[in-house]
Amino acid sequence: MRGVLAPLAVFAVLFGVLPAGLSAAGSGYLFRLADVTLIFCILSLSMQLITGVAGLLTLGHAAFYGIGAYTAAILSTRLGFDAGLTIPASGLVSALFGVLIALPTMRLVSIYFAVATLGLGEMIYVTLLNWVSFTRGPLGIGDIPPLRPFGFDLSSPLGTYLLIAALAALALLVVHRVAHSYYGNTLRALREDDQCADAMGLPVVRLKIETFAIATFLAGIAGALWAHTTGYVNPADFRFAESILILAMVVVGGLGSIPGAIVGAALLILLPEALRAIGRVRILAVGLIMFLCILFLPKGLFGEVTALDLVRRQFGAAWRGSPTDRPLGWR
Amino acid sequence: MFDRFDIFFVQQLINGFSVGLVYALVAIGFTLIFGVLNVVNFAHGEIYMIGAYAGLLAIVFLAPPWVALILLVLAAGIAAGVALERAAFKPFRRFRDEASLKSKAMRESTLLSSLAISIVVRESVEKIFGADMQAIPRAYADAMQDPIVLGELAVASGQIAILAAALVMFATLQWILKRTDIGLSIRAVAANPLGAQYVGVNVDRTVIATFAIGSGMGAVAGILIGLYQGTIFPAMGFAPGVKAFVAMVMGGLNSIPGAVICAIVLGLAEAVATEFFGQGWADLVAYVFLVLTLVFFPTGLFGAGRERV
């Protein structure tokens, strides 16, 4: 039974309890909040893969999210593509940019890589802002059609929620299978010491580029979902501050921990909403939570070791399955 | 000798040069802190902003003479820098061995903590003073705008003030680093923190002194630019902070003269780009320089084989 119950529970919450509760509340605002939280779960999961698991601190993740959103916006408003095509297309375009950016920068280490991604992220922002004939610049692109993939009308709050939840579950599955496997262990080896990993014969640069491609693909999909559900995209939504928000989710949740990324995303989206009564303190709250977390909980709310233990026991991760089902590693 | 276009172009280059000096003023403090601690201080742009706001408060409530204004801002910057060091950097220097001093974890946690502090500070200032532009009172701001005419070219007195301030700061810093005891210990810690500790340098105090010097300079740069531009706003630190960062990377991360030269080059390049492509695209120049430097000259243009700081 192990390896079945916990995934079933996640599935039940995502597709049973949450939508039932939200429908019972019947509030568009709550549905919207759930959608945004799930979109940011996809973003934080994808960043967790780069920053937490592979150890590449990126400060420009929002740019890929923006590329995805603009791809979806332009394809659906100019060419009339429906959401069934724009969502995968956004992922692919974003992953293409991810690989193009990764090729020259992946040889940089630690702080140099962080700075390069900051620079590239701002370059993409400046381009979105100034290429007025293509992106309409600071005006943004409006009237993006809601989600109607392949003729199915999912533009109702429940339909939108279910589609986003399905894609978020898919993203979770992908990140889970990548991170909790021998492949994921290889990425952790890069994080700990990439020179050593290189000396052991691991193809360091190729692994980093592959990880970057997967993560930017997911970020692009999150962007497309944002564009279709908001109906309007604007360069200001994909700036440095947004990258920092996603980074804060990963750091608060716990670097390297997949459940942590979800906890972090939920906390940093829902807590500022709960604090809305005392004024616009969203970014201030993000900064404070991040600082307190780094200071007092350097491993995050859901540290990597706890998370790996949980995943190994409950989610049937790839390295559980030795023939005798003996736990691997030190006990 | 020149036709109109050329005069205009030379005027643009002069403006670009003074913008470059602004970046250089910020970059000096940035590079000093990086050189000593080998960590990036993401909150340096906020020190610059705090300097501008401290200056505005001083002008509004005290209306001090110029020298007193600069000294007050310097004091505010030093206080902010020391507080920043205590809050965002000290808690992560708890280990003494060589491996953890150089470890990625320590570098990244200070990077994230200074980033978090910078968000908190910027947002708090925004809550107190509002996100809008604040005008500096005319009595002070106008003194920076007197035109000084040199033949067909015109230079604002503020540009001369910035040039003078940059020269004074650069000279003071070189004097502190090369001629005083504290400068000697800063250079020692920059070269090898553990070695410095073994021969009796108080590393903790040296780091605080570094932050005080770097932040004081950042704050003075902030009020000078605020006066020159006439308005200040909470997010004013971001753009010069990033540009100073680019200059530091181009200069080779721990070479102060390199950072200053690259900051001026950056200012000139932006002026030329503004001339040909417009204001919006000119912002791209810094990032293009950054990425090209990182990809083709990973040790920076002036970095290889120099003494740190």
Side-chain angles (χ1 to χ4, degrees):
Chain A
M1 279 310 277
R2 272 183 3 185
V4 178
L5 271 182
L8 267 182
V10 172
F11 194 80
V13 169
L14 207 51
F15 295 101
V17 179
L18 263 176
L22 290 170
S23 300
S27 147
Y29 167 69
L30 287 182
F31 264 114
R32 175 75 189 142
L33 206 53
D35 292 348
V36 173
T37 310
L38 286 173
I39 290 174
F40 273 89
C41 277
I42 301 179
L43 286 170
S44 67
L45 282 168
S46 66
M47 190 162 186
Q48 186 69 276
L49 202 57
I50 309 178
T51 303
V53 179
L56 299 160
L57 182 63
T58 153
L59 298 175
H61 207 56
F64 300 104
Y65 171 47
I67 288 176
Y70 267 88
T71 310
I74 289 169
L75 285 181
S76 58
T77 55
R78 300 258 171 84
L79 303 174
F81 281 23
D82 79 8
L85 288 172
T86 57
I87 292 174
S90 303
L92 288 175
V93 171
S94 184
L96 180 72
F97 273 91
V99 171
L100 282 180
I101 284 174
L103 282 172
T105 54
M106 275 304 162
R107 286 169 202 283
L108 305 170
V109 288
S110 71
I111 186 70
Y112 295 92
F113 179 76
V115 177
T117 49
L118 193 166
L120 287 160
E122 285 295 298
M123 275 163 88
I124 291 169
Y125 164 74
V126 171
T127 310
L128 290 180
L129 192 64
N130 287 293
W131 194 1
V132 177
S133 60
F134 191 60
T135 65
R136 294 184 13 102
L139 295 173
I141 298 178
D143 290 329
I144 303 165
L147 290 165
R148 287 200 188 83
F150 305 121
F152 294 106
D153 191 354
L154 297 177
S155 56
S156 71
L158 184 64
T160 306
Y161 169 83
L162 286 176
L163 181 66
I164 293 178
L167 288 173
L170 217 57
L172 176 61
L173 183 69
V174 169
V175 174
H176 163 67
R177 294 298 300 193
V178 170
H180 302 137
S181 62
Y182 286 108
Y183 188 84
N185 285 1
T186 319
L187 297 180
R188 287 191 185 85
L190 304 187
R191 177 187 69 189
E192 295 306 322
D193 191 336
D194 55 357
Q195 286 178 349
C196 178
D198 203 9
M200 304 288 276
L202 297 174
V204 172
V205 172
R206 204 191 78 205
L207 284 168
K208 287 179 177 175
I209 292 175
E210 284 170 5
T211 317
F212 214 68
I214 299 170
T216 48
F217 180 84
L218 295 175
I221 286 185
L225 290 174
W226 172 265
H228 282 292
T229 53
T230 318
Y232 172 71
V233 291
N234 182 314
D237 289 337
F238 311 108
R239 271 208 91 168
F240 184 60
E242 215 68 7
S243 298
I244 296 309
L245 175 64
I246 306 169
L247 178 65
M249 288 169 180
V250 172
V251 171
V252 168
L255 280 168
S257 143
I258 304 301
I262 297 167
V263 172
L267 183 75
L268 285 181
I269 294 292
L270 299 178
L271 191 70
E273 283 300 322
L275 294 176
R276 197 179 269 268
I278 53 172
R280 284 191 56 249
V281 290
R282 182 179 150 195
I283 304 173
L284 185 62
V286 168
L288 263 182
I289 294 173
M290 188 163 145
F291 179 67
L292 294 175
C293 217
I294 300 164
L295 203 54
F296 298 113
L297 286 170
K299 291 188 172 60
L301 291 172
F302 207 115
E304 184 177 20
V305 178
T306 340
L308 286 182
D309 205 40
L310 174 88
V311 174
R312 195 189 312 231
R313 281 165 187 277
Q314 304 294 339
F315 286 83
W319 14 245
R320 196 191 52 144
S322 61
T324 52
D325 206 10
R326 249 196 338 239
L328 289 164
W330 291 326
R331 282 283 147 169
Chain B
M1 199 165 102
F2 293 118
D3 62 12
R4 289 305 309 163
F5 175 77
D6 283 335
I7 283 296
F8 185 67
F9 190 71
V10 173
Q11 185 72 55
Q12 289 292 12
L13 284 183
I14 291 176
N15 292 341
F17 184 73
S18 66
V19 171
L21 286 172
V22 173
Y23 299 156
L25 288 180
V26 184
I28 290 175
F30 218 102
T31 314
L32 183 66
I33 291 169
F34 187 92
V36 171
L37 281 182
N38 209 9
V39 294
V40 178
N41 173 16
F42 255 101
H44 198 69
E46 271 51 49
I47 299 279
Y48 168 89
M49 180 268 290
I50 287 177
Y53 273 87
L56 177 68
L57 284 181
I59 289 172
V60 170
F61 289 113
L62 303 172
W66 286 96
V67 177
L69 175 67
I70 298 294
L71 287 178
L72 276 172
V73 171
L74 194 63
I78 289 173
V82 172
L84 170 71
E85 198 276 334
R86 292 284 98 173
F89 290 87
K90 179 75 177 79
F92 301 100
R93 275 190 286 118
R94 50 196 153 200
F95 303 111
R96 293 281 174 196
D97 58 304
E98 193 163 4
S100 55
L101 278 175
K102 287 184 178 164
S103 75
K104 205 158 100 178
M106 184 248 169
R107 255 193 248 178
E108 288 181 357
S109 55
T110 51
L111 188 144
L112 291 172
S113 68
S114 63
L115 198 60
I117 289 276
S118 81
I119 296 171
V120 172
V121 168
R122 187 172 60 235
E123 291 295 310
S124 309
V125 170
E126 205 172 301
K127 285 282 164 296
I128 299 169
F129 294 95
D132 304 333
M133 302 258 184
Q134 303 263 339
I136 302 265
R138 299 290 301 269
Y140 283 82
D142 280 356
M144 298 292 246
Q145 297 298 344
D146 292 336
I148 296 169
V149 180
L150 305 165
E152 285 192 73
L153 299 167
V155 186
S157 53
Q159 289 172 325
I160 301 289
I162 289 169
L163 176 63
L167 289 175
V168 169
M169 278 192 199
F170 192 67
T172 315
L173 187 69
Q174 290 304 324
W175 177 76
I176 291 177
L177 285 177
K178 299 281 159 67
R179 291 276 180 276
T180 63
D181 285 352
I182 192 75
L184 190 64
S185 50
I186 288 176
R187 286 191 294 146
V189 173
N192 185 343
L194 279 179
Q197 201 173 2
Y198 294 152
V199 297
V201 174
N202 186 336
V203 174
D204 207 39
R205 209 162 51 189
T206 309
V207 170
I208 293 182
T210 314
F211 266 86
I213 296 168
S215 304
M217 290 188 167
V220 172
I223 186 62
L224 278 176
I225 310 312
L227 285 166
Y228 172 60
Q229 293 179 340
T231 50
I232 61 178
F233 53 102
M236 69 187 281
F238 182 75
V242 172
K243 308 280 163 71
F245 195 100
V246 174
M248 178 177 89
V249 174
M250 284 171 69
L253 282 174
N254 40 36
S255 151
I256 289 177
V260 170
I261 293 168
C262 291
I264 293 169
V265 169
L266 197 58
L268 290 174
E270 282 190 347
V272 174
T274 308
E275 178 73 19
F276 288 106
F277 303 108
Q279 176 67 46
W281 290 108
D283 288 338
L284 215 53
V285 171
Y287 305 119
V288 172
F289 274 20
L290 173 69
V291 173
L292 289 181
T293 312
L294 283 174
V295 172
F296 294 107
F297 305 95
T299 53
L301 302 179
F302 298 89
R306 294 217 166 193
E307 187 193 12
R308 290 172 54 176
V309 180

